[in-house]
């Protein structure tokens, strides 16, 4: 099953909400809000009740740094608040310093280190396992925060 098919299945099951940003009728970014939290066992153990903004991305690259990513994050936070949530989190690769800076500016704080484990198939059909060092960051909602 492709990663998008898995996302679709999760949304159909009510476990997530897929958000798409549009400009002039074109999709320019997306993310998935996983209501069941981050899949990594380290994060599940410590923060399993914290919904996760997963797979955040803006494309093409020329559309970045125009506020689209921030708008997606804000929309995810709003959804979480409407469900009565008190916080939301997201994972960031420890090498992705610009994204981490953005999340800090938006009120997210480092909460737990973890390994993001995923796999891919090369052109010869060989499966490779990858584990990226990441940090799960959490934003606590306050009554006066936007
Ligand atoms: C990270 C990302 C989703 C942010 O979306 P965006 O629309 O560029 O974000 P905004 O315009 O709301 O905010 C831009 C700020 O985000 C930060 N940022 C984070 N990652 C960035 C990136 N790869 N390129 C540009 N800016 C980035 C910068 O500090 C930037 O500030 P600036 O405008 O002063 O340069 C987007 O840049 C992206 O898709 N990057 C590649 C995929 C990725 O890294 N996803 C995050 C996984 S945790």
């Amino acid at each position: 099953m492709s990663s998008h098919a898995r996302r679709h299945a999760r949304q159909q099951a009510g476990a997530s909400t897929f958000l798409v940003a549009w400009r002039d009728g074109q999709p320019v970014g997306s993310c998935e809000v996983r209501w069941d939290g981050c899949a990594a066992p380290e994060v599940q153990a410590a923060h399993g009740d914290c919904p996760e903004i997963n797979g955040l991305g803006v494309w093409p690259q020329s559309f970045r740094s125009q506020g689209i990513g921030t708008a997606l994050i804000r929309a995810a936070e709003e959804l979480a608040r409407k469900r009565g949530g008190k916080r939301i989190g997201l994972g960031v690769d420890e090498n992705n310093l610009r994204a981490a800076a953005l999340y800090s500016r938006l009120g997210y704080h480092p909460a737990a280190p973890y390994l993001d484990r995923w796999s891919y198939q090369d052109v010869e059909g060989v499966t490779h396992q990858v584990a990226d060092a990441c940090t799960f960051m959490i934003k606590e909602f306050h009554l006066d925060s936007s």
Side-chain angles (χ1 to χ4, degrees):
M1 194 189 273
S2 73
S3 62
H4 194 69
R6 283 195 294 273
R7 283 188 177 133
H8 183 68
R10 282 196 291 269
Q11 176 159 280
Q12 293 298 99
S16 73
T17 303
F18 194 72
L19 298 177
V20 180
W22 297 85
R23 181 172 285 178
D24 299 329
Q26 298 297 318
V28 291
S30 65
C31 67
E32 178 190 19
V33 187
R34 291 194 61 167
W35 303 113
D36 50 1
C38 176
E42 308 94 303
V43 182
Q44 271 292 322
H47 304 288
D49 60 341
C50 181
E52 179 196 40
I53 301 171
N54 186 270
L56 176 67
V58 171
W59 72 93
Q61 212 165 325
S62 59
F63 281 75
R64 291 178 189 163
S65 293
Q66 297 178 29
I68 296 168
T70 298
L72 281 164
I73 292 169
R74 298 272 191 224
E77 291 172 358
E78 190 56 29
L79 277 184
R81 275 203 190 86
K82 281 188 176 146
R83 292 167 63 109
K86 300 276 186 287
R87 57 190 192 148
I88 195 166
L90 44 69
V92 61
D93 189 296
E94 66 178 28
N95 295 315
N96 200 346
L97 300 181
R98 293 188 71 187
L102 169 65
Y103 307 149
S104 293
R105 279 206 301 277
L106 294 175
Y108 290 76
H109 300 284
Y114 71 99
L115 288 177
D116 183 19
R117 301 171 187 83
W118 54 285
S119 61
Y120 70 94
Q121 267 193 357
D122 65 22
V123 285
E124 286 160 359
V126 179
T127 300
H128 299 265
Q129 306 290 338
V130 185
D132 292 326
C134 291
T135 301
F136 192 69
M137 299 179 76
I138 291 179
K139 177 174 182 171
E140 305 283 348
F141 299 150
H142 302 289
L143 288 176
D144 58 348
S145 71
S146 57

